[in-house]
Amino acid sequence: MKRALLVAMCLGLSGRVSAQAGASVSADAVIVTVGMTITTLRDLNFGTVIKGVATTIAPTAANAGEWQVSGSGNAFVIITFTLPTQLTNIQALPGSTMPISFSATSAIWRRATNDPTGGNTFNPATGAVGRFGPPPNFNLYIWIGGTVNPAAAAKPGIYQGNVIVSLIYQ
């Protein structure tokens, strides 16, 4: 009987036992003084390509795509791309396309200086974290190259697609 009463008391008390726990996170913010402006300085231009022959443009080439971005001095930004997998012939019948690809070294960003030499190479498929220039030059420059591979039976004409760059303050 005493054992049953003791068990009953323990069961009754276990419902009344309380525990307390806590955790915290820090709160932080980065204030930027201005928004961003993006200017396309040059389109990625493969020029005339030959059927059946792959053509590659390096991000350091004179015909690589280029953007100038202005923002808050020394601020960090996340750079991402929306990349096409094919270019469409705008002169031929619908369905005429040419593959386009980008390698792990097809993009470069550089702060303050409009010259890809010495810039930060990155994979445009995965993006990068870039940084605006210090005062007084609050610019960041981005270049992109790529490879087109026209089929041996590709239809003649002008092939186009869009490479979209997006930046978000980090």
Side-chain angles (χ1 to χ4, degrees):
M1 179 75 161
K2 287 182 183 180
R3 184 175 277 177
L5 183 58
L6 182 60
V7 170
M9 286 179 59
C10 287
L11 289 174
L13 290 176
S14 67
R16 293 184 189 145
V17 175
S18 63
Q20 194 171 11
S24 66
V25 296
S26 66
D28 58 1
V30 175
I31 297 174
V32 293
T33 57
V34 295
M36 284 182 273
T37 58
I38 301 174
T39 304
T40 300
L41 299 180
R42 186 175 52 240
D43 291 330
L44 174 57
N45 185 354
F46 290 93
T48 302
V49 297
I50 301 168
K51 292 180 181 186
V53 178
T55 300
T56 299
I57 301 296
T60 55
N63 49 343
E66 181 183 4
W67 295 271
Q68 176 183 343
V69 187
S70 299
S72 288
N74 291 317
F76 290 92
V77 289
I78 299 169
I79 305 167
T80 59
F81 284 94
T82 303
L83 300 168
T85 57
Q86 59 187 7
L87 303 179
T88 302
N89 189 324
I90 62 170
Q91 296 176 318
L93 296 173
S96 299
T97 60
M98 175 176 30
I100 183 171
S101 60
F102 303 89
S103 75
T105 58
S106 287
I108 296 174
W109 71 269
R110 187 164 186 194
R111 62 190 297 215
T113 304
N114 187 2
D115 181 355
T117 306
N120 301 282
T121 302
F122 68 100
N123 185 340
T126 57
V129 174
R131 189 171 187 190
F132 285 102
N137 185 349
F138 304 135
N139 293 319
L140 171 102
Y141 296 90
I142 303 168
W143 296 267
I144 191 161
T147 300
V148 291
N149 196 0
K155 294 179 180 159
I158 298 171
Y159 289 77
Q160 291 182 339
N162 291 313
V163 175
I164 300 168
V165 65
S166 301
L167 288 95
I168 300 170
Y169 278 115
Q170 185 179 31

